């Protein structure tokens, strides 16, 4: 094999390698886009579930108002209420209670992350976080977690 043949073979190998690298980069980009789309799908499904659960809790405790959470912090909902009471000593007090649960935005770690915080009568009792890789998400798992957070909050609030 002379130099000219070896040169043509080297050029062909280089072109094939370049083509493979471009294909690999396109697949990686599609994969990243696919993960982002999956996260959006889960976010929509879970934020609707959160809203439904919080509104059902508010039906059992009059005075709570529902608030939609959306934006850079995440998507979900919150219940809040202000109570003004007069204590045994005759002093009046203001007590703030709030339960918020939301799905955090997609990030470079490609996880679905739900967060929650529960405050009852001016004291924060709960601060929750639960996450899984987008590829490993089972929405039933997340829904069970949301249910348990709402139930924990309801039990604690009812005991106050």
């Amino acid at each position: 094999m002379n130099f000219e043949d070896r040169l043509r073979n080297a050029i062909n190998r280089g072109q094939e390698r370049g083509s493979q690298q471009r294909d690999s980069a396109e697949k990686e980009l599609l994969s990243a886009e696919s993960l982002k789309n999956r996260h959006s799908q889960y976010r929509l499904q879970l934020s609707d579930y959160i809203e439904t659960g919080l509104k059902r809790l508010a039906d059992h405790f009059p005075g709570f108002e529902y608030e939609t959470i959306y934006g850079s912090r995440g998507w979900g909902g919150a219940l809040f209420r202000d109570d003004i009471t007069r204590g045994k000593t005759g002093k009046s007090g203001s007590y703030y209670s709030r339960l918020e649960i939301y799905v955090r935005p997609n990030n470079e770690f490609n996880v679905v992350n739900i967060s929650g915080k529960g405050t009852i009568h001016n004291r924060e009792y709960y601060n929750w976080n639960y996450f899984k890789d987008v590829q490993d998400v089972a929405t039933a798992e997340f829904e069970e977690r949301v249910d348990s957070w709402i139930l924990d909050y309801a039990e604690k609030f009812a005991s106050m």
Side-chain angles (χ1 to χ4, degrees), residues 10 26 34 53 65 73 80 84 86 114 116 119 129-130 155:
E26 286 177 18
S34 171
E65 295 181 42
R73 192 169 65 157
F80 64 94
I84 299 175
R86 185 169 299 278
I114 55 173
T119 302
N129 248 321
Y130 183 72
E155 186 175 338

Short mmCIF file of all heavy atoms in Angstrom, two decimals, residues 10 26 34 53 65 73 80 84 86 114 116 119 129-130 155:
data_model
loop_
_atom_site.label_atom_id
_atom_site.label_comp_id
_atom_site.label_asym_id
_atom_site.label_seq_id
_atom_site.Cartn_x
_atom_site.Cartn_y
_atom_site.Cartn_z
N ALA A 10 -6.77 7.15 5.88
CA ALA A 10 -6.75 7.99 7.08
C ALA A 10 -7.85 9.04 7.02
O ALA A 10 -8.54 9.31 8.01
CB ALA A 10 -5.38 8.65 7.23
N GLU A 26 -25.64 14.46 19.06
CA GLU A 26 -27.07 14.63 18.79
C GLU A 26 -27.91 13.74 19.71
O GLU A 26 -28.93 14.17 20.24
CB GLU A 26 -27.40 14.32 17.33
CG GLU A 26 -26.95 15.39 16.36
CD GLU A 26 -27.21 15.01 14.91
OE1 GLU A 26 -28.02 14.09 14.67
OE2 GLU A 26 -26.59 15.64 14.04
N SER A 34 -35.15 14.95 26.28
CA SER A 34 -36.11 13.96 26.74
C SER A 34 -36.27 14.02 28.26
O SER A 34 -37.38 13.94 28.78
CB SER A 34 -35.65 12.56 26.31
OG SER A 34 -36.42 11.58 26.92
N GLY A 53 -54.94 17.69 46.84
CA GLY A 53 -54.77 17.27 48.23
C GLY A 53 -54.88 18.42 49.22
O GLY A 53 -55.52 18.29 50.27
N GLU A 65 -56.87 29.35 53.44
CA GLU A 65 -56.99 29.84 52.06
C GLU A 65 -55.93 29.16 51.22
O GLU A 65 -54.81 28.93 51.68
CB GLU A 65 -56.81 31.36 52.01
CG GLU A 65 -57.90 32.12 52.73
CD GLU A 65 -57.70 33.61 52.64
OE1 GLU A 65 -57.33 34.10 51.54
OE2 GLU A 65 -57.88 34.28 53.67
N ARG A 73 -39.14 29.21 42.24
CA ARG A 73 -39.05 28.32 43.40
C ARG A 73 -39.63 26.94 43.09
O ARG A 73 -39.20 25.94 43.62
CB ARG A 73 -39.77 28.95 44.58
CG ARG A 73 -39.51 28.27 45.88
CD ARG A 73 -40.02 29.07 47.02
NE ARG A 73 -41.48 29.16 46.94
CZ ARG A 73 -42.26 29.40 47.96
NH1 ARG A 73 -41.72 29.63 49.13
NH2 ARG A 73 -43.55 29.46 47.83
N PHE A 80 -52.84 28.64 53.93
CA PHE A 80 -52.40 29.49 55.02
C PHE A 80 -53.62 30.02 55.76
O PHE A 80 -54.72 30.10 55.21
CB PHE A 80 -51.52 30.63 54.52
CG PHE A 80 -52.23 31.59 53.61
CD1 PHE A 80 -52.82 32.74 54.10
CD2 PHE A 80 -52.31 31.32 52.25
CE1 PHE A 80 -53.48 33.61 53.25
CE2 PHE A 80 -52.97 32.19 51.39
CZ PHE A 80 -53.56 33.33 51.89
N ILE A 84 -56.52 34.88 65.24
CA ILE A 84 -56.37 35.83 66.33
C ILE A 84 -57.15 35.26 67.50
O ILE A 84 -58.34 35.00 67.39
CB ILE A 84 -56.89 37.22 65.94
CG1 ILE A 84 -56.08 37.75 64.75
CG2 ILE A 84 -56.81 38.17 67.13
CD1 ILE A 84 -56.56 39.05 64.20
N ARG A 86 -57.66 34.99 71.98
CA ARG A 86 -57.46 35.60 73.28
C ARG A 86 -57.11 34.47 74.24
O ARG A 86 -57.86 33.52 74.40
CB ARG A 86 -58.73 36.32 73.74
CG ARG A 86 -58.54 37.09 75.04
CD ARG A 86 -59.71 38.00 75.32
NE ARG A 86 -59.92 39.01 74.31
CZ ARG A 86 -59.28 40.17 74.22
NH1 ARG A 86 -58.35 40.46 75.10
NH2 ARG A 86 -59.56 41.04 73.29
N ILE A 114 -39.65 17.15 45.21
CA ILE A 114 -40.77 17.84 45.84
C ILE A 114 -40.31 18.30 47.22
O ILE A 114 -39.54 17.62 47.90
CB ILE A 114 -42.04 16.97 45.95
CG1 ILE A 114 -41.77 15.66 46.66
CG2 ILE A 114 -42.65 16.74 44.59
CD1 ILE A 114 -43.03 14.84 46.92
N GLY A 116 -41.59 20.50 50.88
CA GLY A 116 -42.73 20.95 51.66
C GLY A 116 -42.28 21.58 52.96
O GLY A 116 -41.20 21.29 53.47
N THR A 119 -45.91 25.04 58.91
CA THR A 119 -45.86 25.91 60.07
C THR A 119 -47.22 25.88 60.73
O THR A 119 -48.24 26.01 60.06
CB THR A 119 -45.52 27.36 59.64
OG1 THR A 119 -44.26 27.35 58.96
CG2 THR A 119 -45.45 28.29 60.83
N ASN A 129 -38.21 17.16 52.03
CA ASN A 129 -37.62 17.10 50.69
C ASN A 129 -37.62 15.65 50.25
O ASN A 129 -37.26 14.76 51.03
CB ASN A 129 -36.17 17.59 50.72
CG ASN A 129 -35.99 18.88 50.00
OD1 ASN A 129 -36.59 19.09 48.96
ND2 ASN A 129 -35.17 19.74 50.55
N TYR A 130 -38.00 15.41 49.02
CA TYR A 130 -37.96 14.05 48.48
C TYR A 130 -37.64 14.16 47.00
O TYR A 130 -38.22 14.99 46.29
CB TYR A 130 -39.31 13.35 48.68
CG TYR A 130 -39.32 11.93 48.22
CD1 TYR A 130 -38.66 10.94 48.94
CD2 TYR A 130 -39.98 11.56 47.06
CE1 TYR A 130 -38.66 9.62 48.52
CE2 TYR A 130 -40.00 10.24 46.64
CZ TYR A 130 -39.33 9.28 47.37
OH TYR A 130 -39.32 7.98 46.95
N GLU A 155 -52.83 16.02 61.25
CA GLU A 155 -52.83 15.46 62.60
C GLU A 155 -52.24 16.44 63.60
O GLU A 155 -52.79 16.66 64.68
CB GLU A 155 -52.06 14.15 62.61
CG GLU A 155 -52.11 13.42 63.91
CD GLU A 155 -51.44 12.06 63.85
OE1 GLU A 155 -51.29 11.49 62.76
OE2 GLU A 155 -51.05 11.57 64.94
#
